[in-house]
Amino acid sequence: DIVMTQSPDSLAVSLGERATINCRSSQSLLYSANNKNYLAWYQQKPGQPPKLLIYWASTRESGVPDRFSGSGSGTDFTLTISTLQAEDVAVYYCQQYFSTPLLTFGPGTKVDVK
Amino acid sequence: EVQLVQSGAEVKKPGESLKISCKGSGYSFSNYWVAWVRQMAGKGLEWMGSIYPGDSDTRYSPSFQGQVTISADKFINTAHLQWSSLEASDTAIYFCARHADTGSVGDWGQGTLVTVSS
């Protein structure tokens, strides 16, 4: 089974500042046949279902603000919020779908305003 | 517009059975995997399993294999998650979600709160 870890568990960032979340997988999520990383990022606000932000490690879902960006390859990935807005307060999860339909989520990172 | 509409909140006693549902619309239900995801209070997301309604191919997380049953009826565009004997530890919100063409999970139901208490 692919195990996902995230760091930090939580972080507090001033409005307008950058937030960076890290995600690591226990095995490579890069599929050599298509050179794609099977890694997604989700945002979950209280009382709501998760929302897909990024897939293929760096492709933004339609309608997601461009202050959200994803990077990384293989086993190490990063979600960056370039300028934190109040509405970005949420828990963020990474997820592997390399073994789809078998999925694994990371434990989540809580983002708050400092 | 893709929609996944889940059945309402449930309150059950330990040992009781339960079946909750997720009805898809706005897409070809038979042709996309549907996942079930558990979220216990204040905790993270746990993938329980997924089903392909077209042929009912079902895959389970080892953590949930034997604990729940996932099924689907492609004729009424509905997936189900069921328990034969609930425990207090099954208290959680359960989400259904559609696997996107990419394999990630793009569309989510609103969640069903299941409370198991004596």
Side-chain angles (χ1 to χ4, degrees):
Chain A
D1 292 4
I2 300 175
V3 177
M4 307 297 292
T5 57
Q6 289 181 231
S7 63
D9 294 336
S10 64
L11 74 162
V13 176
S14 300
L15 292 174
E17 296 300 305
R18 178 185 301 261
T20 302
I21 301 168
N22 301 301
C23 173
R24 177 167 288 174
S25 58
S26 60
Q27 65 185 70
S28 177
L29 304 183
L30 177 62
Y31 185 43
S32 56
N34 58 12
N35 201 38
K36 289 185 181 294
N37 288 281
Y38 285 61
L39 187 283
W41 288 96
Y42 299 85
Q43 175 194 65
Q44 188 180 31
K45 297 181 180 180
Q48 296 184 17
K51 173 187 174 184
L52 176 64
L53 294 176
I54 287 170
Y55 57 95
W56 296 138
S58 60
T59 302
R60 267 189 305 276
E61 176 76 331
S62 176
V64 173
D66 61 6
R67 63 180 180 275
F68 292 93
S69 63
S71 62
S73 184
T75 62
D76 291 281
F77 303 91
T78 300
L79 174 69
T80 301
I81 309 172
S82 59
T83 52
L84 188 78
Q85 305 299 306
E87 61 264 32
D88 301 334
V89 170
V91 179
Y92 294 83
Y93 297 92
C94 61
Q95 177 215 47
Q96 69 80 19
Y97 53 100
F98 186 86
S99 54
T100 192
L102 281 66
L103 309 173
T104 317
F105 291 93
T109 296
K110 185 176 181 181
V111 174
D112 270 318
V113 174
K114 185 187 293 183
Chain B
E1 177 195 9
V2 173
Q3 281 197 310
L4 295 168
V5 178
Q6 298 185 229
S7 50
E10 301 273 2
V11 179
K12 292 288 189 179
K13 290 180 167 43
E16 292 185 332
S17 63
L18 176 63
K19 190 175 189 177
I20 62 175
S21 66
C22 169
K23 185 174 178 63
S25 62
Y27 72 100
S28 179
F29 184 79
S30 293
N31 296 334
Y32 288 85
W33 290 85
V34 174
W36 285 97
V37 175
R38 183 176 79 173
Q39 187 166 42
M40 301 175 78
K43 302 299 183 182
L45 305 171
E46 301 174 90
W47 175 72
M48 303 174 70
S50 294
I51 187 165
Y52 190 78
D55 61 5
S56 292
D57 185 5
T58 308
R59 313 291 174 86
Y60 292 94
S61 162
S63 299
F64 292 93
Q65 179 85 47
Q67 308 305 307
V68 297
T69 301
I70 294 171
S71 60
D73 185 337
K74 63 184 179 182
F75 300 106
I76 58 171
N77 291 357
T78 301
H80 299 279
L81 176 65
Q82 68 181 82
W83 296 259
S84 59
S85 181
L86 287 160
E87 302 176 0
S89 58
D90 293 316
T91 296
I93 296 174
Y94 294 87
F95 294 101
C96 65
R98 184 186 76 142
H99 288 241
D101 289 329
T102 59
S104 58
V105 180
D107 302 283
W108 294 73
Q110 81 275 22
T112 295
L113 174 62
V114 173
T115 303
V116 184
S117 174
S118 55

